[in-house]
Amino acid sequence: MKRRQRGRPLDGWLILDKPQGPTSTDMVNKLKRLFDAQKAGHGGTLDPLATGLLPIAFGAATKTVPYVMDGTKRYQFTLRFGESRDTDDAEGAVTGTSDVRPDNAAIEAALPAFRGLIMQVPPIYSAIKVAGERAYDMAREGRAPVLEPRPAQIDRFDLIDRPDADTAVFEVESGKGVYMRSLARDIAIACGSLGHITVLRRLRVGPFTEDMAISLDKLEQGEDTAPISPALLLPVATALADIPALALTESEAVGLGHGQAISLVDLMGRIPDGADPAGGTVRAMVGSRVIGLCRLEEGWMKPERLL
C-alpha cells in the first residue's frame, strides 16, 4: 500500500527573509512544519552567515526551482581587508594577515577583471563534490580539497561604500553558481591584500525581490496555534515571470498535456519577441493559467516541464 504523505498538499512560493545563523535546509524544514506542508524545497542555498532572500517552494512549485536558480541573483557584501579565513568568511579560522589597505582607486582598477565570464575557484568550505565527497566535509576533517576553477558569470560588480580603511561594501549581480566568498577573497588578493566576507545579504533571486520577502519572526508569531495560512504563498507561476509567455488555445494545451509538440508554423504571430526559436524556453499559457514550460527547437514547440 502507498504510504500517505504527512501534511497539507500546498502549492506556491514563500519568499523568506532568512536570518543569520540557520542553514537553508533548516529553514525549509521549519517552514514545512509551520505550514504543515507535504513537500517543500528551496530555490538556491544561502550560507548560514548570509541573510536575505531564500525562496521556499511548496508542492508543484518545486518543479520550477531549476528556473529560479538559473535566474539573476543580486547580493550585497562587506569585505574586511587584512585577514584571510579558511571559510572565506567571518566564521572561519585566520589563515593569513596583511597590512595592505587598498584605496578606492586601487579597488576600482581591479574590478573590471571580475566582470563578465570569469574563472572562479570555489571556497573549500562548499558543497561541491570531489571524488564523491563534499568539499566542506573534507575541509572539516583537515583534508583540504583541491578545487578547479570553474566559469562564473558576473553581470555587475560595483564598490558602493567605504565605511573605513578596513572595510568595503560591494553589490554584485551574477548568474548561477557564483560564490560571493570567492569574489571577496579574490578582489582582496588582486588589490595586494587579503580579505574575507563579514556581511552577506541576497537582494534578488530571479523574479523574486525584497518587497516580496517575509521575516521569520512574522511567520513564527502563530507557531503555537494552527498552521500558517496558505494565503501567504505566491502562485507557482510567479517563479516563471522572467520567461516569455506564449498564448495557447485549450485544444493546443490538451495536446501539449499528452506530450504532443506544436509546429511553430501554427504559432506564427504568437511567439514572443524575447523567445529564441532555436532553443529558447517559453511559458505556455491559456488565458492567465500557466500550462508549463516548453522548448522551441527544430521548428517545434516541445513540452519540457508541465505544471
Side-chain angles (χ1 to χ4, degrees):
M1 292 180 64
K2 188 176 180 180
R3 188 173 180 180
R4 182 179 174 273
Q5 283 188 292
R6 296 178 60 183
R8 299 184 291 173
L10 302 180
D11 298 317
W13 285 92
L14 189 285
I15 314 306
L16 177 69
D17 190 339
K18 178 190 146 339
Q20 185 175 336
T23 67
S24 298
T25 300
D26 291 338
M27 293 294 88
V28 170
N29 293 337
K30 187 172 188 66
L31 291 186
K32 186 177 178 183
R33 178 172 56 79
L34 287 175
F35 278 88
D36 186 29
Q38 283 183 359
K39 185 177 182 180
H42 65 73
T45 302
L46 274 181
D47 293 336
L49 173 85
T51 65
L53 266 63
L54 181 64
I56 307 291
F58 293 93
T62 57
K63 295 180 180 180
T64 64
V65 163
Y67 302 95
V68 170
M69 294 181 71
D70 283 345
T72 297
K73 318 292 191 304
R74 183 184 302 130
Y75 297 89
Q76 190 175 109
F77 69 78
T78 300
L79 164 63
R80 182 174 182 84
F81 291 105
E83 288 182 347
S84 58
R85 303 283 181 106
D86 58 1
T87 58
D88 295 315
D89 64 24
E91 297 185 336
V94 176
T95 57
T97 60
S98 172
D99 293 329
V100 175
R101 300 296 184 269
D103 60 18
N104 287 10
I107 295 172
E108 294 286 2
L111 282 171
F114 293 91
R115 295 177 182 135
L117 185 61
I118 68 170
M119 297 300 289
Q120 182 183 74
V121 177
I124 60 170
Y125 281 85
S126 61
I128 290 170
K129 285 192 173 182
V130 179
E133 294 186 81
R134 296 289 185 188
Y136 54 64
D137 288 333
M138 298 173 68
R140 285 168 186 155
E141 293 172 6
R143 299 180 292 124
V146 177
L147 300 178
E148 297 297 324
R150 54 183 57 201
Q153 179 63 41
I154 312 295
D155 299 317
R156 185 164 69 87
F157 188 7
D158 296 328
L159 175 67
I160 63 169
D161 193 16
R162 196 71 195 274
D164 52 54
D166 289 332
T167 56
V169 182
F170 298 88
E171 194 160 290
V172 180
E173 287 190 358
S174 67
K176 179 181 178 181
V178 178
Y179 289 91
M180 296 302 112
R181 287 177 290 151
S182 292
L183 272 184
R185 175 198 68 206
D186 293 345
I187 192 71
I189 292 171
C191 291
S193 183
L194 297 172
H196 62 275
I197 277 182
T198 57
V199 178
L200 173 60
R201 181 168 178 79
R202 187 156 64 190
L203 308 173
R204 176 190 169 192
V205 183
F208 300 128
T209 53
E210 278 193 293
D211 59 322
M212 300 176 177
I214 299 175
S215 71
L216 183 61
D217 288 344
K218 181 177 180 180
L219 295 169
E220 287 178 326
Q221 287 174 1
E223 188 171 3
D224 296 329
T225 58
I228 298 174
S229 169
L232 286 176
L233 302 183
L234 298 173
V236 173
T238 311
L240 310 176
D242 288 348
I243 299 174
L246 193 154
L248 299 180
T249 65
E250 285 286 359
S251 61
E252 288 170 336
V254 170
L256 205 64
H258 289 104
Q260 298 172 9
I262 302 173
S263 170
L264 296 189
V265 174
D266 296 333
L267 298 172
M268 292 293 288
R270 286 187 276 165
I271 299 174
D273 293 338
D276 180 1
T281 300
V282 294
R283 176 169 36 112
M285 308 280 295
V286 174
S288 60
R289 190 170 89 252
V290 178
I291 304 303
L293 294 165
C294 300
R295 178 78 59 185
L296 307 183
E297 57 185 5
E298 300 174 346
W300 296 89
M301 184 177 87
K302 303 175 183 180
E304 185 175 82
R305 167 105 36 195
L306 299 178
L307 303 178

